[in-house]
Amino acid sequence: FKRRQQGHLARWRTLAQQGAWRALHADHFDWWMFPIDDGSQPQFNVRCEADIARLLADDEWREGYAEGVATCVRAWGWDAHAGARIERDGPDWDEEMGWMDWDVRLAKVVRSLWLFQHALFPSIQALARSIHADEKGGRAFTYGHLNLNEILHMTLPRTRPAIGLAALDGASSDADSPAGQA
């Protein structure tokens, strides 16, 4: 996770400095940048609460995770730390920024923040709610036939393990866990 994350962060820093937000939109990154428990690439899934704890214990990974979230949503025109849209006529706006209809990516970011119980969760969930109301006009977030609107209703603190983690909690060892290979 960390090696892939750090490599992407270096690329994203360059793209952000160049204002090349479209290139960031076209990048493939969500599996290792924003790990979840039930993603389509199992080698990048967190499989138990211990996986989450191992990643959170790694300062470099944790700082990179927060930077990755902030950079990703900035490309969508959102200031993660202010919890608000970047003003289109303001000095921080770039024409390559904006929502690109990547429902599944937004869902992965929100779900990952929820799993990691991260401080940026409320901000990015507010982004999801804003997009749901404005760009989507109340239509569901979807991926194929899947409805992803759970991201609008998640709350912290988590009071139960995530569905994918519930049956597996404690079942993974450091050797076979992707987080153990951070």
Side-chain angles (χ1 to χ4, degrees):
F1 278 112
K2 187 166 65 174
R3 184 177 32 97
R4 298 287 295 264
Q5 176 205 67
Q6 293 298 311
H8 259 78
L9 284 174
R11 174 176 158 74
W12 284 6
R13 287 179 193 120
T14 300
L15 293 173
Q17 288 172 346
Q18 296 170 347
W21 300 106
R22 283 194 186 108
L24 194 145
H25 292 305
D27 212 354
H28 291 281
F29 55 82
D30 37 320
W31 301 293
W32 50 84
M33 294 300 286
F34 313 115
I36 59 173
D37 55 328
D38 62 351
S40 63
Q41 300 292 319
Q43 69 270 31
F44 297 113
N45 289 349
V46 290
R47 296 185 286 196
C48 61
E49 294 291 340
D51 284 352
I52 292 169
R54 273 190 289 279
L55 288 169
L56 289 174
D58 184 319
D59 292 340
E60 186 178 19
W61 183 87
R62 195 175 59 249
E63 290 167 12
Y65 180 72
E67 181 183 353
V69 169
T71 304
C72 178
V73 301
R74 186 168 194 76
W76 295 334
W78 187 261
D79 183 325
H81 300 288
R85 290 188 186 253
I86 297 169
E87 295 295 324
R88 286 188 179 264
D89 58 351
D92 294 329
W93 179 256
D94 185 284
E95 288 304 314
E96 290 195 4
M97 291 177 171
W99 178 240
M100 303 298 288
D101 295 317
W102 285 97
D103 292 5
V104 70
R105 283 191 173 167
L106 177 59
K108 285 180 180 181
V109 174
V110 172
R111 183 169 184 82
S112 183
L113 290 165
W114 177 76
L115 285 168
F116 286 86
Q117 300 190 70
H118 196 278
L120 289 174
F121 171 80
S123 172
I124 311 313
Q125 188 179 54
L127 166 62
R129 289 176 175 159
S130 178
I131 289 170
H132 184 254
D134 297 335
E135 285 85 347
K136 297 192 73 63
R139 292 183 317 279
F141 288 107
T142 59
Y143 181 64
H145 68 281
L146 298 174
N147 183 314
L148 304 173
N149 277 359
E150 72 174 357
I151 65 174
L152 303 171
H153 309 289
M154 295 172 157
T155 59
L156 288 179
R158 284 192 290 120
T159 56
R160 59 176 174 72
I163 291 171
L165 298 181
L168 298 173
D169 198 25
S172 155
S173 72
D174 284 354
D176 67 1
S177 166
Q181 303 165 15

